[in-house]
Amino acid sequence: SLPLSWVLRLQSVAPDQEIRMNLEQYSYLAEILGTATVVVSLIYLAVQVRHGIAQGRAEARYAFVQATSDINMTIAQDKTLASVWRRGLANPEELDPDETMQLWMFMGQYCNAWMVMHQLHIDGQLAQNQWQVVINDVAAILCSAGGRAFWRMGRGAFDPEFRTFVDDVLDKGEQPYDM
């Protein structure tokens, strides 16, 4: 907003007269240009923040796929490990001590990945459809006999918010699919 005195002076200048700006008028022009620069900078920053959020979400989705794929492929590529996994989920007492250790290591890896995904979900960085996959996996694996045995033994190793989340899933007791 230009001062009224400046506007009146500009209006009172005859068309054939030369308009001369004084120092005060230059400062008003500088303020206008400065304001425009700030507005452009804020728009640029908003676009950058939005891009950063989108990049973070993309990285979270990739981390989700990578973490679960690595564990799944390890089990899928080895018939002996697949057998330990399958038998351990159904009845962990049937496993020998080394097989029990393998099962607990796999469970721990899954839980570590799920805990990270849980935090990404809380932070708004994990897409809802991927979060639903995590919930289904937690329920399918940890609601099994072997999953429950692992969780009773190892739940203290995980952060309190994640423990509450898993405990709630276990309390529901619904397995969306059977491993």
Side-chain angles (χ1 to χ4, degrees):
S1 66
L2 298 175
L4 183 59
S5 63
W6 193 39
V7 173
L8 291 175
R9 274 191 235 150
L10 288 176
Q11 289 176 347
S12 66
V13 174
D16 60 337
Q17 287 183 329
E18 192 176 306
I19 298 177
R20 295 178 195 231
M21 294 177 59
N22 64 28
L23 190 54
E24 182 182 7
Q25 291 167 332
Y26 277 118
S27 75
Y28 292 133
L29 181 60
E31 283 183 41
I32 292 168
L33 292 174
T35 301
T37 302
V38 168
V39 169
V40 168
S41 296
L42 289 174
I43 291 170
Y44 174 77
L45 287 174
V47 168
Q48 291 296 58
V49 166
R50 182 178 227 156
H51 178 71
I53 290 169
Q55 182 67 29
R57 286 184 177 151
E59 289 172 5
R61 287 190 292 275
Y62 177 76
F64 166 76
V65 170
Q66 190 65 42
T68 55
S69 293
D70 288 348
I71 301 167
N72 291 341
M73 288 309 296
T74 300
I75 294 169
Q77 291 176 343
D78 186 320
K79 189 174 181 176
T80 304
L81 291 178
S83 173
V84 167
W85 180 252
R86 183 183 46 73
R87 290 182 295 118
L89 289 178
N91 189 357
E93 292 81 24
E94 288 182 6
L95 301 178
D96 68 36
D98 292 333
E99 291 173 327
T100 300
M101 178 60 72
Q102 286 179 312
L103 179 66
W104 289 170
M105 291 292 116
F106 283 124
M107 291 285 189
Q109 287 301 307
Y110 272 117
C111 286
N112 284 331
W114 294 331
M115 186 171 62
V116 170
M117 297 304 117
H118 179 258
Q119 190 60 52
L120 290 170
H121 169 69
I122 289 171
D123 294 343
Q125 294 292 311
L126 191 64
Q128 184 58 39
N129 62 335
Q130 287 181 309
W131 177 238
Q132 190 58 53
V133 170
V134 172
I135 293 169
N136 290 344
D137 285 351
V138 168
I141 294 171
L142 292 183
C143 284
S144 69
R148 287 183 183 276
F150 169 81
W151 191 247
R152 278 190 301 275
M153 179 197 70
R155 74 183 291 280
F158 301 97
D159 74 46
E161 286 184 39
F162 180 69
R163 286 194 308 253
T164 299
F165 159 70
V166 172
D167 290 342
D168 290 346
V169 169
L170 291 175
D171 287 346
K172 290 178 186 172
E174 301 169 3
Q175 281 185 284
Y177 56 88
D178 188 13
M179 296 295 286

